[in-house]
Each structure stands twice: as C-alpha cells, then as structure tokens.
C-alpha cells in the first residue's frame, strides 16, 4: 500500500530523510516513531504529496506518485484520510461542517452526508458538540473532530500524525480501539507517534526513525 | 441550498465591508460605462434623425423648360418622404425678397433689368423620413434630373453632425471598454484579498482532496453576486441621473429632448456586472495548484 524506495528529502539544504526505504502492506496497522524533528510528519506529507522527494520513488497503492499528474492529486488525496498534527480545522465552520467537508469534497448527497457525519461523531463521542465551533472545544475534542473527518469517508488508507497527542490515556485507548476496528474492516493505517503506550505490546509493525547522524535509517521492529 | 452557495453567502457576509466597497466601486464603474454607451447610442440617434421641419431647396436652371419643371414636381410628389412641395417662380422669389427688404431698402432692387433669382422648389419632408442617409440619397437623385441646377439641404450642417457623432461614438466606445475593464479589475482585487485571507482554509481543502473547481466555485459566486448588485446600483443611478439631467439642462436645449437611456441598456447592467464579476474572480484565483 505504501512503499518508499531510497527516498531523500531536505529542507533548504538540510537533509531530513536520507535514502529511506520501507513499506506498509495493504490492511496493516503500523506505527512510525522517533524523536521530535526526526521526520515523521515529513514522511506523511510525502505520502499525500504535499511534498515531493528529491530522490527515490514513492508508491501508493501501486502508483508511483513521483510521476503523478497535477489533475490526479485530488483523487490520490481522496483515497487517504489524514489526521493532521496541526489539526487544520476550519474555524469558521461548525464541527458538523468540518467533518462533512470530507464528504462534500467527494460529492456525496446531503442525506448520506448527514447520516454518516452523525454516526462518525458518535463514534468519537462528540455527537452533542456537532453545532459547536472548533474554538469552543478543548484540544482533545478538536483532535477527535480531526479524527472523525479523516475516517468519515472510509478511505482505504489513513495517516494519523500524533492522533492522541492531546488525549488522556483513557480517551487515547478509545481512539486506538476505533482505529483497530476500522483496520479490521480493511483500511490500511499508519500512525506517527511518540506515545510508546500506543504501540508497546501491540504486536504491530513499528518503524523507528533514528535521530541525529543516522537520520533516515529506519529500524523495523516487531513487538509482542 | 447548495454548499457552494452557502459558503459564498457566508463569506460575503463575513467580509461585508470589503464586499460592499467592491460592489459600490463596481457600481460606479458600470454606471460610467453605461453613460458612455448611452452617449454613443444618443449621438448616433441625433445624427440620424435631423431636426424637425427640415427642408430642402431644389434650385432650377434658368433655362429649365416647363416640361422639366413638371417632371421634377411629379418626381417629388411621388416620393414618400416628401410632405409638401411648393414651387417658387423667379418672379415670386423676387417679390418675396422685396417684401423681406421692406420699403426702406427696396431701392436696392431698382434698376435691375432682369430677374437674377432662380426658380426653386421648397420641399418639406415628413418627420419620420428625416434621416441623414435618406436626405442625402434624395438630393443625389434630384441632382441628376434635367433642369435641376443645385440642391441645397445644409450639407455642411449634416456632415458636421455626422462627424461629431462619429467622434463621440469612438471615444464613447473606448471609454466604455476601459470602464468595463475597470469594473473587472475592481472585482479582481476584491476577490484577491478574500482569496489571500482564506489561503489557509484553501490549503486545507486541497489537502482533503478538493479539486480546483471546488475551491473556485464560492469565489466565482461571490464575484457574480458583487457584480450583479453593482450593476443594479448602476442601473438605479442611471435612471436617477437622467431624470436630474433632463429636468435641468436637457429641457433647455430642444435637440436634447429626444435623448434617452435605453431601458435595455439599464436592464443589461446587472448581467454585465455579473459577467464582469465572474471574470474578475476567475482572473484573481487563476490556476489552483493542488
Ligand atoms: N517547512 C519546513 N521548512 C524547513 N524545515 C522544516 C520544514 N518542515 C520540517 N522541517 C524540519 O524537518 C525536520 C523534520 O520535521 P518533521 O516535522 O517531519 O518532524 P517530526 O518527526 O514530525 O517531529 P514532531 O515529532 O515534533 O512532530 C525538523 O528538523 C524540522 O525542523
Ligand atoms: Mg510531526
């Protein structure tokens, strides 16, 4: 589903990813971890093509996105649900509208949008906040709105960047259970996190990005 | 209500002052554009419709035979635009002249042993046929008839009017095009501001997989609404301004009484405004890169 082949990426001449290779199989739930500034968010941006690599190839669902046509980029992104580390909620729209946006962009009709958004909000425990504006929500609530927006369209791939960063352990565990459920229904999920509790003893694949001089080397670990 | 319409309306409301300013500026531009176009239309009308009671004088040659005269008269009577024809013999012309001079100056004419004045036809034209082109054609055809010396219809006057009308037309059309482009530019800059203010939101839409048109649609609608109301305001201003003009200056000059702002032009303003608004918005957003 996701395959990086010798990918390199630098910002203004500062190498962040150097000759990085890894792959996530279809239907997997995998973790991406490493210290702050290691390049986790950068990897996710490369996947949804907000950034392009300087060298190497990236395959998403078998397609090499380094040669993607401009007009195909929206379709690539519609196959992905993204939990942004910086949320990216529209502050002028209600919780309902923020989540509905993912479906409006995909052209669903109003009745189905309403049903699916409410169902998803219930899943993340925010049904009663559907008419609130994001600024009236706590950080953890905002994060759950972002998660709802990422999963509401039932994408085949979900990228979650620090999805439990603002959540207490209990709510975090609840969100993790939702991800596991969605994964069990067939979606591929890649979660970038520092939160060891999420992947420890999970039995899932963990990609660790080493920091400092070894930047770019990925260590594959199996944990049980 | 569709999502894009809702978004456009709420954006219009959120930035109501900028939008109102854009709308009114577009209105001013469209108003002036409409005036320019009205000037073009009216100058053409004035040039084609000659003043009422316009007459034409056909001067006859001294040696015109009675048969020539009869033929000319018949030709004139049979011509549709001609309202009345009066024959003025050279004797009558002299008598008229004498009368015009009065007793005091009649001595001027004494001592003439022959009548130097030409016989003529005084031709009055029907109002509805008094058009520059038809007068010119009539004069040209009369000139070719035997016995006709010359046809006098104020050619210089007509040519001047036509030249003036032509100049007004060209200047007016150029002004119209310029002002319309101005209206497009105003919308362009207003939408550009809105677009920059929302650039963060637009970035999010694109990351969520929105196509260029999904991003553009609300802005196009906003441009259309802004232009439409700008055009409406301009239309109202046109009627108002014209009333003021007619009751003031217009009434004093008889030539101006048949000036008007064509209703079709006023009705077209909101449509023109809408198109100008959408054009401005399109240019402002340009290509939306994913
Ligand atoms: N737009 C940018 N311009 C310049 N440098 C950048 C940019 N984005 C990221 N970087 C740098 O690239 C490196 C990797 O950043 P990235 O956001 O991928 O880290 P991360 O692993 O997601 O960190 P965190 O856990 O704190 O979210 C950092 O050193 C960061 O300073
Ligand atoms: Mg990050």
């Amino acid at each position: 589903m996701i395959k990086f082949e010798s990918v390199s990426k630098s910002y203004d001449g500062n190498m962040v990813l150097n000759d990085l290779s890894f792959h996530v199989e279809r239907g997997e739930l995998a973790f991406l971890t490493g210290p702050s500034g290691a390049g986790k968010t950068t990897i996710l941006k490369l996947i949804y093509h907000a950034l392009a690599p300087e060298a190497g190839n990236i395959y998403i669902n078998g397609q090499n996105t380094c040669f993607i046509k401009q007009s195909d980029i929206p379709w690539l992104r519609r196959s992905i649900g993204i939990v942004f580390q910086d949320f990216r909620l529209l502050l002028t729209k209600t919780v309902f509208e923020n989540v509905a946006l993912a479906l409006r962009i995909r052209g669903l009709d109003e009745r189905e949008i309403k049903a699916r958004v409410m169902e998803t909000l219930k899943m993340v425990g925010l049904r009663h906040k559907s008419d609130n504006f994001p600024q009236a929500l706590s950080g953890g609530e905002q994060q759950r709105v972002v998660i709802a927006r990422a999963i509401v369209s039932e994408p085949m791939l979900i990228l979650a960047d620090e999805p439990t960063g603002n959540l207490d352990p209990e709510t975090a565990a609840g969100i993790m259970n939702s991800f596991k459920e969605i994964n069990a229904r067939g979606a591929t999920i890649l979660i970038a996190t520092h939160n060891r509790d999420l992947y420890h003893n999970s039995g899932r694949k963990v990609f660790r990005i080493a920091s400092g001089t070894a930047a770019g080397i990925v260590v594959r670990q199996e944990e049980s | 209500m569709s999502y894009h319409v809702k978004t456009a309306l709420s954006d219009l409301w959120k930035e109501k002052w900028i939008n109102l300013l854009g709308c009114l500026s577009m209105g001013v531009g469209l108003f002036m554009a409409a005036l320019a176009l009205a000037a073009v239309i009216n100058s053409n009308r004035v040039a084609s419709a000659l003043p009422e009671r316009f007459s034409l004088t056909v001067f006859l040659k001294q040696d015109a035979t009675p048969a020539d005269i009869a033929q000319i008269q018949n030709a004139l009577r049979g011509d549709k635009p001609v309202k009345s024809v009066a024959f003025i013999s050279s004797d009558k012309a002299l008598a008229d002249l004498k009368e015009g001079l009065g007793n005091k100056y009649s001595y001027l004419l004494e001592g003439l042993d022959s009548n130097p004045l030409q016989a003529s036809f005084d031709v009055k034209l029907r109002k509805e046929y008094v058009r520059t082109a038809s007068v010119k054609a009539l004069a040209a055809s009369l000139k070719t008839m035997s016995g006709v010396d010359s046809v006098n219809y104020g050619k210089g006057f007509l040519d001047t009017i036509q030249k003036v009308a032509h100049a007004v037309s060209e200047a007016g059309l150029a002004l119209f095009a310029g002002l319309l482009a101005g209206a497009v530019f105003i919308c362009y800059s207003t939408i550009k501001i809105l677009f920059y203010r929302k650039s963060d939101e637009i970035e999010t839409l694109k990351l969520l997989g929105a196509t260029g048109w999904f991003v553009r649609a609300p802005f196009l609608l906003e441009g259309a609404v802004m232009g439409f109301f700008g055009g409406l305001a301009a239309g109202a201003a046109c009627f108002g301004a014209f009333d003021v003009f007619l009751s003031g200056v217009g009434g004093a000059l008889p030539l101006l009484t048949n000036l008007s702002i064509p209703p079709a032009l006023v009705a077209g303003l909101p449509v023109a405004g809408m198109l100008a608004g959408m054009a401005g918005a399109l240019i402002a957003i340009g290509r939306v890169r994913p």
Side-chain angles (χ1 to χ4, degrees):
Chain A
M1 177 57 80
I2 304 169
K3 189 170 162 203
F4 275 47
E5 261 180 16
S6 309
V7 171
S8 296
K9 176 72 197 171
S10 58
Y11 292 107
D12 316 315
N14 296 325
M15 189 71 88
V16 175
L17 303 175
N18 185 13
D19 197 25
L20 171 71
S21 300
F22 76 101
H23 71 275
V24 177
E25 305 288 350
R26 180 184 303 277
E28 259 186 322
L29 191 166
F31 292 91
L32 192 58
T33 190
S36 179
K40 300 182 292 296
T41 300
T42 303
I43 289 173
L44 298 188
K45 283 182 177 170
L46 287 165
I47 294 172
Y48 59 82
H49 211 273
L51 295 174
E54 275 116 42
N57 290 305
I58 299 170
Y59 298 89
I60 307 299
N61 201 19
Q63 186 192 16
N64 188 339
T65 60
C66 299
F67 300 110
I68 195 170
K69 275 193 297 180
Q70 290 266 333
S71 59
D72 285 340
I73 292 174
W75 271 265
L76 168 71
R77 291 182 183 157
R78 285 183 209 182
S79 65
I80 306 174
I82 309 167
V83 179
F84 300 98
Q85 189 171 16
D86 52 356
F87 297 176
R88 290 196 159 276
L89 289 171
L90 306 192
L91 301 179
T92 56
K93 296 204 187 298
T94 61
V95 166
F96 179 91
E97 279 303 326
N98 265 284
V99 178
L101 197 57
L103 300 179
R104 296 198 198 286
I105 283 172
R106 289 166 174 82
L108 271 68
D109 71 66
E110 208 54 36
R111 262 189 45 218
E112 196 173 354
I113 288 177
K114 183 144 183 125
R116 282 173 69 168
V117 171
M118 288 322 268
E119 188 193 338
T120 310
L121 282 177
K122 191 172 155 198
M123 195 165 151
V124 299
L126 284 177
R127 208 192 156 108
H128 60 296
K129 298 269 185 180
S130 67
D131 289 334
N132 286 53
F133 285 89
Q135 272 155 333
L137 301 183
S138 73
E141 287 168 335
Q142 289 183 24
Q143 188 146 41
R144 281 182 280 156
V145 178
V146 182
I147 292 167
R149 184 179 65 187
I151 62 180
V152 71
S153 59
E154 298 178 355
M156 61 173 196
L157 172 61
I158 292 170
L159 306 174
D161 201 347
E162 214 60 75
T164 59
N166 291 284
L167 303 179
D168 59 275
E170 216 165 290
T171 317
I175 292 296
M176 260 324 287
N177 279 334
S178 300
F179 278 138
K180 280 180 199 155
E181 241 171 72
I182 294 164
N183 172 245
R185 278 189 249 147
T188 308
I189 303 180
L190 181 61
I191 299 173
T193 186
H194 315 274
N195 188 347
R196 195 165 175 276
D197 291 346
L198 289 190
Y199 56 82
H200 189 58
N201 288 335
S202 66
R204 312 277 182 171
K205 235 188 231 176
V206 177
F207 298 101
R208 183 180 303 279
I209 307 171
S211 64
T213 51
I217 295 171
V218 163
V219 183
R220 198 191 132 173
Q221 302 186 339
E222 292 281 356
E223 307 205 1
S224 56
Chain B
M1 213 178 356
S2 112
Y3 169 75
H4 292 305
V5 176
K6 255 192 208 161
T7 305
L9 292 182
S10 90
D11 286 352
L12 279 169
W13 180 248
K14 250 173 255 151
E15 305 280 359
K16 49 186 167 299
W17 298 117
I18 291 181
N19 290 320
L20 190 66
L21 190 68
C23 184
L24 290 179
S25 315
M26 278 187 89
V28 171
L30 289 167
F31 170 64
M32 296 197 296
L35 289 190
L37 202 58
V40 171
I41 292 168
N42 280 299
S43 70
N44 285 335
R45 183 186 304 160
V46 167
S48 65
L50 297 175
E52 252 176 282
R53 281 179 283 127
F54 185 84
S55 67
L56 189 124
T57 311
V58 184
F59 290 103
L60 302 176
K61 288 180 178 150
Q62 296 285 16
D63 59 355
T65 64
D68 285 339
I69 294 174
Q71 203 180 2
I72 294 165
Q73 188 157 21
N74 282 339
L76 283 170
R77 291 235 160 93
D79 206 35
K80 243 192 179 169
V82 175
K83 187 165 148 197
S84 67
V85 183
F87 178 69
I88 297 162
S89 67
S90 54
D91 295 340
K92 172 122 192 333
L94 191 60
D96 285 352
L97 185 59
K98 271 184 183 156
E99 199 186 303
L101 290 171
N103 288 335
K104 215 172 158 191
Y105 297 104
S106 62
Y107 66 90
L108 286 173
L109 298 174
E110 274 162 27
L112 286 176
D113 39 356
S114 68
N115 184 350
L117 296 181
Q118 287 172 288
S120 64
F121 282 108
D122 194 15
V123 182
K124 297 231 184 306
L125 299 177
R126 280 181 220 282
K127 190 182 164 198
E128 62 271 28
Y129 285 98
V130 181
R131 300 244 170 271
T132 312
S134 51
V135 171
K136 276 193 169 170
L138 179 61
S141 82
L142 284 170
K143 246 185 207 161
T144 62
M145 298 188 74
S146 91
V148 173
D149 183 38
S150 64
V151 181
N152 191 340
Y153 60 95
K155 186 170 182 302
F157 173 69
L158 278 192
D159 285 348
T160 307
I161 278 198
Q162 273 188 320
K163 260 186 214 141
V164 169
H166 200 70
V168 170
S169 268
E170 288 200 334
L173 282 178
L175 205 61
F176 173 74
L179 287 163
L180 210 60
V184 171
F185 179 76
I186 291 164
C187 187
Y188 160 86
S189 20
T190 310
I191 296 287
K192 199 90 183 168
I193 293 171
L194 299 181
F195 191 71
Y196 280 129
R197 288 204 173 181
K198 284 185 76 181
S199 57
D200 219 37
E201 199 170 315
I202 290 164
E203 184 61 27
T204 302
L205 290 181
K206 289 192 280 188
L207 291 179
L208 292 176
T211 55
W213 283 111
F214 190 94
V215 172
R216 278 191 200 104
F219 291 101
L220 279 183
L221 286 168
E222 281 166 46
V225 170
M226 208 183 296
F228 180 83
F229 284 105
L232 222 54
C238 275
F239 278 133
F242 201 67
D243 275 354
V244 170
F245 176 72
L246 267 196
S247 62
V249 205
L253 295 167
L255 193 64
L256 298 181
T257 49
N258 66 347
L259 293 189
S260 70
I261 292 205
L265 174 65
V266 176
L269 276 175
V271 179
M274 210 165 88
L275 293 178
M278 288 170 80
L282 260 188
I283 303 169
I285 313 164
R287 265 200 67 200
V288 178
R289 300 193 143 273

